[in-house]
Structure formats: C-alpha cells, structure tokens
Amino acid sequence: MASTSSGQLQAASSTDVLTGLCQSKSIPKADRIIIVDCVGGIPGQDGNCVQGLINLSQQFETIDDQLAKSKATQEALQHRQNLDTIKRCLAILPSSSSGLIVSPETAANSSTHSAARDPTFGVGTKQKNVLIHNLLTNKPLISSSLPSGRVSTLGNAPSNEFSATLVKRGVPLSIMPADCGWQRPAHGTTSMRLEDDTRIDFRRLVYLIEDSFRRKLDVSDYLSRVEGRIAGIVVVGEYEGCAIFTWEMPPNTQDPSRLVPYLDKFAVLQSSQGSNGVADSLFQAMVETCFPNGVLWRSRTNNPVNKWYFERSSGSWQIPGSGWTMFWTGDGALDKDRWDDYVGICTNIRPSWADGKKPD
C-alpha cells in the first residue's frame, strides 16, 4: 500500500513505491538501490551463472528480450520486473547511482565467503562483507567480461551460490564496423579509414590512445600500417575507451581467406580505468558482437594488464625470443596452420610509437 498526496491509501507495486521514493523531495536522494529477491541476480546468456554487471545503455533490450523468451517463465518474469524496477529508478537518480539485485543467500553468506577467499583474514582482522564493499565502490561481485567457464567457482563455493548483479545506467557503445560488416573482406582489404570516417572523432581517438598508453603515437606511421586493414572500432561513451580491430594477413601469403581478426588497440582513459566497467564493456562487445568466433591480440610479456587478459582469453602463449605474449578467443589456434598464422602475425606487426621505445 502507498499513500497518495491526499493521504489516502491505495494499492501500489514495489516498482511504484521505489520510483516514488527516488522522486521524493522530502527525503535525501538515494545513491544505491538494493533488491533482495529469492530469484537472485540476472542470469547470463547460457543460464549457468549470473551476470556480474549490467550496463543498461548497452544491454537492457538484449537481456529483456532474452528473458522474455526464457522457458522458466515465472522466474524470468520476476527477473524482468526487477531489472525494469532498477532501470526506472536509475533514470531518476544521478548518473553515478547504481542498483544491486541479490539473493538472500548471497547477502547472508558474503562475509563468510570473503574470509574463505582471502587467507590474510585471521584473528583480530575485520572481515569485509563482499557485497557491501562492492556496492560502495560500484564494482560488481564478478567481472562481467569473464567467460562463464571461468566463473565456475568463487572461493570454494559454486557460482550459483553467488547470485548478485550490479546494474548501472552505463554509457552507450558506438559499434562501427567497416563496409563489409564484421565479416572477412572478400578481396582482402577494407575501405574504412579512421581519419576520414564521419562517425569517428579522430582527434579524440588519438588523445584516448596516447592517454591510455602514456606515450605519443606516430599518427602517420600508424595510419599507413592499418591502411586497408581496418575491420571496425568500438567506442565507449565520450571516448572513454575504444577497441580498434584490423584484418591481418599472415606472412608469406596473400590469400584473403587467411585473414585474421586482430585487436590492434585496446585503450581506456586513465581517469576511466578501474571501477566503471569501460574495459569490461569493450571486451564484451568484442566477443559477443564483433567477433564471437574468435579474435587475436598480443601484449608485451611484462605488461601488468596481462593478468586481466589471461582471465578472459581462451588461451595464451609467450612467443620465444620476441617479448610478446599472444592471446586469443575462440578455438582457431587449435588448428596447426592457424597457429602458425597467429604466431606470424603477432611476431611481425610493427609498432607505431613516436618515442621509438619498445611497444606495449
């Protein structure tokens, strides 16, 4: 029941009550919305684990459609209602606000599991409640870009015991493929040019890359290297992050059917690195929308970001004598010829940095 402006009581849904509280001027503005429900967090695409983070701007329609088609109709209906409630509330609240959908079991057990996961907890050490900690820091319990197979356990407990989804209004993604879409170009080249494409603010793109890598880009050399190779680009928000993809030809061949999709640049503004999910959104777009069948990239072997890559890639290999670690998604590297193509590409791509130092 809820009270009207005239003081009368009338039936009201939980969504109406929460949105009313968010709009109220008589109480302080809410910063976080928490829904505790037995159905727990929003399920992932495979249904085996929950989604750690949902970016409403990017994912709401897809997830809502997925739930609408679910066979577990009553449970899916409750998930849709919970997600819609959070969406309505966040539309009213400041953009920094977030919502949490969590099962009672996860809320009750999170302190116990945090102690089990961290061996530094001991006598006289205050144990953190994982959910409260993540809610206050705006970080999800489980990273949204982790493959579902990597989220089989959290501590010593099965992932289905950890049923919590952090929901943010998020920032929109601009997904811009080349003229052939995300398909391998039939004649081996594409016509997309980063510096001329009207969808791209090239000046801001260069600034983003240089800020993320903390070094100057040799712009003319870089554009020369990727000429005719651009597969597409994904940009987060107002150039807070980007992923640039190319089609790379393996050494000693000119066969277009051998072209490999390659993650050429993965950049996030320093001010956006860490807690706001920009990198997760980029990686999700890469593996779900752009190249669900697999993509290749490389990173310097001593790059501290590699741990993040290890957790999300299908595999990796340190190329002997090169200083590079090769990463990939999908199962393309299992083929012997494809493996040689991957190694050849990662070994031979030339850097395009203006300082002449070893590339990142």
Side-chain angles (χ1 to χ4, degrees):
M1 302 293 287
S3 176
T4 66
S5 57
S6 61
Q8 293 181 324
L9 290 177
Q10 65 178 27
S13 68
S14 57
T15 299
D16 291 335
V17 172
L18 280 173
T19 54
L21 289 172
C22 291
Q23 292 173 321
S24 175
K25 296 180 180 179
S26 61
I27 60 174
K29 277 288 184 183
D31 188 52
R32 300 288 189 269
I33 303 296
I34 303 176
I35 294 179
V36 181
D37 194 316
C38 291
V39 298
I42 306 299
Q45 287 185 343
D46 58 7
N48 293 326
C49 60
V50 300
Q51 303 201 46
L53 172 68
I54 290 177
N55 178 334
L56 289 173
S57 297
Q58 174 192 356
Q59 299 174 280
F60 177 78
E61 291 184 2
T62 301
I63 294 173
D64 188 62
D65 184 61
Q66 169 194 325
L67 291 171
K69 297 176 180 177
S70 173
K71 294 179 181 179
T73 53
Q74 189 57 44
E75 186 172 303
L77 183 63
Q78 188 61 40
H79 282 307
R80 292 183 73 191
Q81 180 179 324
N82 289 342
L83 190 59
D84 182 67
T85 298
I86 294 286
K87 180 176 181 286
R88 289 170 182 262
C89 290
L90 294 184
I92 300 168
L93 299 173
S95 59
S96 60
S97 302
S98 64
L100 185 70
I101 305 172
V102 58
S103 70
E105 293 79 10
T106 298
N109 293 337
S110 58
S111 289
T112 302
H113 291 316
S114 66
R117 291 175 63 205
D118 191 342
T120 63
F121 284 122
V123 177
T125 302
K126 185 177 180 180
Q127 298 181 4
K128 289 183 179 179
N129 181 295
V130 174
L131 294 180
I132 292 177
H133 171 74
N134 288 352
L135 190 61
L136 292 176
T137 59
N138 242 359
K139 293 182 179 180
L141 183 64
I142 300 171
S143 173
S144 59
S145 62
L146 279 174
S148 58
R150 304 285 169 87
V151 194
S152 58
T153 59
L154 187 59
N156 296 318
S159 61
N160 59 11
E161 291 186 18
F162 287 83
S163 188
T165 299
L166 185 66
V167 184
K168 296 185 179 183
R169 189 189 303 179
V171 291
L173 284 185
S174 299
I175 300 178
M176 298 168 275
D179 48 305
C180 55
W182 296 107
Q183 305 302 312
R184 186 177 287 109
H187 302 292
T189 61
T190 70
S191 61
M192 185 175 182
R193 294 164 58 92
L194 297 175
E195 69 274 33
D196 295 335
D197 196 303
T198 56
R199 300 172 294 177
I200 299 171
D201 187 329
F202 186 64
R203 180 186 61 82
R204 296 179 74 180
L205 180 64
V206 171
Y207 176 84
L208 164 59
I209 293 171
E210 293 182 342
D211 180 79
S212 176
F213 285 88
R214 297 176 173 86
R215 61 195 310 184
K216 296 292 290 183
L217 183 70
D218 186 333
V219 176
S220 60
D221 184 69
Y222 179 68
L223 292 176
S224 174
R225 195 200 79 74
V226 300
E227 177 73 27
R229 302 171 186 260
I230 297 295
I233 179 173
V234 178
V235 174
V236 178
E238 295 297 318
Y239 287 80
E240 296 169 53
C242 77
I244 301 174
F245 304 98
T246 56
W247 290 106
E248 297 296 334
M249 188 72 75
N252 305 316
T253 183
Q254 291 299 317
D255 181 359
S257 68
R258 298 269 295 277
L259 284 168
V260 174
Y262 180 77
L263 173 59
D264 187 78
K265 288 286 183 287
F266 190 91
V268 177
L269 283 177
Q270 293 180 46
S271 59
S272 296
Q273 293 174 7
S275 64
N276 62 357
V278 171
D280 285 327
S281 295
L282 284 171
F283 200 89
Q284 276 185 292
M286 177 177 79
V287 299
E288 294 178 4
T289 302
C290 305
F291 297 107
N293 294 323
V295 65
L296 172 71
W297 72 98
R298 71 180 185 181
S299 175
R300 296 302 299 183
T301 298
N302 60 355
N303 189 342
V305 177
N306 286 350
K307 180 180 183 296
W308 195 85
Y309 289 150
F310 285 133
E311 293 172 342
R312 288 155 181 79
S313 63
S314 299
S316 63
W317 189 59
Q318 292 187 18
I319 304 174
S322 70
W324 292 111
T325 296
M326 178 175 80
F327 295 91
W328 65 89
T329 60
D331 57 7
L334 299 179
D335 178 84
K336 175 61 171 63
D337 292 335
R338 208 56 167 168
W339 174 267
D340 292 339
D341 289 348
Y342 280 16
V343 174
I345 289 169
C346 288
T347 303
N348 288 286
I349 289 179
R350 74 173 189 263
S352 295
W353 299 110
D355 54 20
K357 297 178 182 178
K358 287 185 177 181
D360 290 327

